[in-house]
């Protein structure tokens, strides 16, 4: 979708333009832009106006310290896992499992990594823990007393942030994978055990030429998701 000045400020454009970017340039992000984004995102709705979201935003040495701490934990293999929650349901069935499998295969195909290339796929997955080269990382967390409704509130705040980043010409990638090492991330951020880590959000400028940022990501049709009632023929 071509971006005119007016269109670039529309919600429709932002929804179509936003994608999970997996290759960033090294260009630094102006903190003033981020402050504008987060100030606007505070208008996100939440039940009872609880506003349960809390975030730590990092760049430079503090961001590198988190990557180093998690890398040491990853080196421990499965013994190093510290999952905060199940990222996917354990008994995932179709159509959801087919969607998850399909998007993974398309991602690796865009990079020319064959299905049998386990080493190559693992290496690509490990790029998650560098934020795909993003200069800024946001870690989103909330109090452990919060329940599913408040987690939905965090999702609405996060979506607001991602769409506002598009308006500013920035890109992002939500990364729940950091919750696999939640205790280590929380320790590196000096977040207490009364908090639960929800997700990371890599932020920066997209490498527009990278193949991993250019493959099409399908969405289910409206009639597959919406059950229309009372609207006539």
């Amino acid at each position: 979708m071509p971006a005119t000045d007016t269109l670039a400020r529309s919600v429709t454009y932002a929804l179509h333009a936003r994608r999970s970017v997996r290759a960033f340039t090294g260009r630094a992000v102006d903190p003033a832009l981020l402050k504008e984004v987060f100030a606007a995102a505070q208008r996100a709705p939440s039940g009872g106006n609880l506003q349960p979201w809390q975030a730590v935003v990092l760049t430079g040495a503090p961001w590198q310290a988190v990557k180093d701490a998690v890398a040491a934990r990853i080196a421990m293999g499965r013994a190093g896992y510290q999952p905060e929650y199940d990222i996917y349901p354990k008994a995932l069935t179709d159509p959801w499992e087919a969607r998850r499998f399909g998007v993974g295969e398309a991602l690796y195909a865009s990079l020319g990594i064959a299905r049998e290339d386990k080493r190559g796929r693992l290496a690509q997955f490990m790029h998650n823990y560098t934020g795909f080269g993003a200069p800024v990382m946001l870690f989103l967390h909330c109090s452990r007393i919060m329940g599913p409704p408040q987690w939905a509130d965090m999702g609405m705040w996060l979506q607001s942030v991602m769409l506002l980043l598009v308006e500013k010409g920035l890109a992002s990638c939500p990364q729940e994978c950091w919750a696999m090492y939640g205790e280590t991330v929380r320790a590196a951020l000096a977040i207490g055990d009364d908090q639960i880590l929800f997700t990371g959000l890599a932020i920066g400028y997209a490498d527009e030429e990278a193949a991993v940022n250019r493959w099409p990501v399908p969405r289910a049709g409206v009639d597959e998701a919406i059950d229309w009632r009372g609207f006539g023929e």
Side-chain angles (χ1 to χ4, degrees), residues 109-126:
S110 75
L111 295 166
I113 301 175
R115 187 175 182 183
E116 61 273 12
D117 184 2
K118 304 300 183 184
R119 187 184 299 273
R121 290 191 170 208
L122 179 60
Q124 172 58 32
F125 178 77
M126 295 311 295

Side-chain angles (χ1 to χ4, degrees), residues 63 66-71 74 82-85 87 125-132 137-139 173-186 197-202:
W63 171 209
V66 175
K67 288 185 280 190
D68 291 344
V70 171
I74 290 172
Q82 304 162 312
E84 296 280 81
Y85 58 88
I87 294 175
F125 178 77
M126 295 311 295
H127 287 319
N128 276 284
Y129 295 104
T130 68
F132 301 111
M137 176 59 69
L138 178 153
F139 287 107
C173 184
Q175 294 186 280
E176 292 173 327
C177 64
W178 293 96
M180 289 296 295
Y181 301 95
E183 184 178 342
T184 293
V185 174
R186 285 187 284 106
L197 177 67
F198 174 27
T199 188
L201 182 71

Side-chain angles (χ1 to χ4, degrees), residues 19-107:
R19 68 176 294 142
S20 294
V21 165
R22 293 179 173 85
F24 292 85
T25 71
R27 181 181 172 186
V29 177
D30 184 347
L33 289 181
L34 296 178
K35 289 177 181 178
E36 290 177 12
V37 165
F38 298 136
Q42 286 300 107
R43 299 300 304 169
S46 60
N49 200 31
L50 295 188
Q51 303 171 67
W53 50 82
Q54 296 288 309
V56 180
V57 183
L58 307 169
T59 194
W63 171 209
Q64 186 61 51
V66 175
K67 288 185 280 190
D68 291 344
V70 171
R73 195 75 192 181
I74 290 172
M76 298 170 62
R78 289 187 175 274
Y81 289 171
Q82 304 162 312
E84 296 280 81
Y85 58 88
D86 291 331
I87 294 175
Y88 299 104
K90 287 185 169 62
L92 195 62
T93 58
D94 286 339
W96 308 288
E97 177 63 17
R99 291 171 185 167
R100 181 186 175 196
F101 178 81
V103 77
E105 289 301 299
L107 186 157

Side-chain angles (χ1 to χ4, degrees), residues 5 16-18 32 41 51 63 90 95 98 101 104 108 115 117 120 150 179 198 203 219 228:
D5 183 60
H16 282 276
R18 190 217 65 80
Q51 303 171 67
W63 171 209
K90 287 185 169 62
F101 178 81
Y108 290 120
R115 187 175 182 183
D117 184 2
Q150 289 75 50
F198 174 27
I203 299 172
R219 292 292 190 267
W228 300 94

